[in-house]
Amino acid sequence: KNKKGEILMVSTYEEYIKLPKALSLEQMQAIHKQIVSEVGNDPDALELYNDLIKVATRYAAIRANWLLMSREEKMEQDPSRTSCHNSVITHFNMLARYLKQQGKTTAWRDELGYEEDDSYNRKAIGDFACYLAFVNGINAR
């Protein structure tokens, strides 16, 4: 830790992939491909997808800074992070529900898993939200 109480470390993908319910980049790409295919050019689905991207990006920013925060900062930010994470899950569910109504399989939603089945699924959904923010970010060049 430095003088501000921040943890000084370098995180790697190799560390992440060993964690419970971690999604590989290949899995995330496949899930994203399914979503993109199901959304297609449907204006309502595109609007729901864009809303998801907005909240995923907000969540990813919070999460990306998490390891840099002091214990006090984390305690202060935790309710906001939790609320944003809940919103991410809600937006995934809204998109899946809409697409299901349009006759799509939404197998991607089951692949991400449900918090009620396993608490680690919540983490995987957050991971995938970060992936969506990553993809959006690198395409914004």
Side-chain angles (χ1 to χ4, degrees), residues 1-2 6-12 15 66-68 74:
K1 290 186 180 187
N2 65 10
E6 298 167 331
I7 297 172
L8 302 175
M9 61 182 282
V10 175
S11 297
T12 66
E15 291 169 3
W66 199 253
L67 294 178
L68 303 174
K74 287 179 181 176

Side-chain angles (χ1 to χ4, degrees), residues 42-87:
D42 180 323
D44 293 328
L46 283 166
E47 186 173 341
L48 289 166
Y49 179 80
N50 284 334
D51 289 346
L52 168 61
I53 293 299
K54 287 176 188 174
V55 71
T57 302
R58 201 163 51 245
Y59 176 71
I62 294 168
R63 196 154 152 193
N65 282 302
W66 199 253
L67 294 178
L68 303 174
M69 292 182 186
S70 67
R71 182 185 313 257
E72 294 77 23
E73 289 170 322
K74 287 179 181 176
M75 287 173 46
E76 183 181 312
Q77 287 290 317
D78 198 44
S80 176
R81 180 181 67 133
T82 299
S83 175
C84 192
H85 197 166
N86 291 341
S87 184

Side-chain angles (χ1 to χ4, degrees), residues 13 16-17 21-31 131:
Y13 173 75
Y16 161 75
I17 202 65
K21 294 282 185 172
L23 296 167
S24 71
L25 286 172
E26 293 79 14
Q27 287 173 295
M28 289 191 261
Q29 286 175 312
I31 292 169
Y131 173 82

